[in-house]
Amino acid sequence: SEAVAVFQEGLRHAKIPEQRGSLFQEIGTTYYYQGYHLQPNGLAEYDLRMVQKSVDAYEQASRYTEGAYLYGNLGWGYYLLEDYDRAVAHGQRALTLDPKLNYVRMNLGITFLRQHRYSESFQAYESILKELNRCWSSRSTCTSDTIPITCGF
């Protein structure tokens, strides 16, 4: 695609590792959304070839930089590719870097379900409620996924 070509051109001019990492992340995100299709029933459908390209680009990014969203995205990509062990490893790494990422907790919950690790799945979902309760009790603004949730009155 044109977007991927622009980012790849940027890689040729990147001077520091962080720039390369950022560009590879953008390539990964572009591939992910090229392979994503929201169906009329509200469920997502994925082109797994594009998901694989996305994961490959995110893995390249991880050679140059790290970040909670990078590892969260890698975890979801590996989930979609049915590599559940890697999905869990990357999801847990994302939460180590940013424990407030509830979308990662949700992804871990569904991944644990796929692995028949029901207790860990329950714990992942329960941790979302604990984080939201913490937010509500502090009456601050918290985020869940990318949707802001205003806590309090």
Side-chain angles (χ1 to χ4, degrees):
S1 81
E2 187 176 332
V4 171
V6 169
F7 293 131
Q8 287 173 334
E9 179 64 24
L11 285 170
R12 288 191 263 287
H13 301 284
K15 300 199 184 313
I16 59 173
E18 291 79 11
Q19 290 173 331
R20 295 187 66 76
S22 179
L23 289 163
F24 275 118
Q25 283 186 75
E26 294 296 339
I27 291 169
T29 301
T30 301
Y31 281 137
Y32 172 82
Y33 281 108
Q34 286 177 346
Y36 171 86
H37 172 70
L38 185 62
Q39 301 175 89
N41 64 6
L43 298 176
E45 181 178 68
Y46 295 92
D47 176 341
L48 294 182
R49 293 170 301 154
M50 298 308 285
V51 171
Q52 182 63 62
K53 286 183 171 190
S54 174
V55 165
D56 292 344
Y58 287 138
E59 286 288 3
Q60 287 282 8
S62 73
R63 293 174 47 207
Y64 300 101
T65 190
E66 72 172 11
Y69 286 99
L70 170 62
Y71 295 116
N73 292 345
L74 267 168
W76 183 243
Y78 279 120
Y79 169 82
L80 293 172
L81 296 172
E82 299 181 2
D83 187 339
Y84 303 129
D85 291 336
R86 283 187 179 166
V88 168
H90 287 295
Q92 289 174 333
R93 189 165 183 189
L95 287 177
T96 298
L97 295 171
D98 186 350
K100 294 179 182 173
L101 292 181
N102 282 332
Y103 86 93
V104 174
R105 294 174 192 279
M106 292 183 73
N107 293 348
L108 282 170
I110 196 170
T111 304
F112 288 137
L113 279 176
R114 289 287 189 157
Q115 293 179 306
H116 307 286
R117 294 164 64 180
Y118 302 115
S119 177
E120 289 166 283
S121 178
F122 179 82
Q123 290 172 1
Y125 290 128
E126 185 178 48
S127 72
I128 295 167
L129 295 175
K130 286 179 181 176
E131 178 64 24
L132 290 176
N133 284 335
R134 184 203 59 77
C135 170
W136 283 99
S137 66
S138 69
R139 296 184 179 184
S140 60
T141 300
C142 300
T143 59
S144 173
D145 285 322
T146 57
I147 302 168
I149 299 171
T150 302
C151 301
F153 303 97

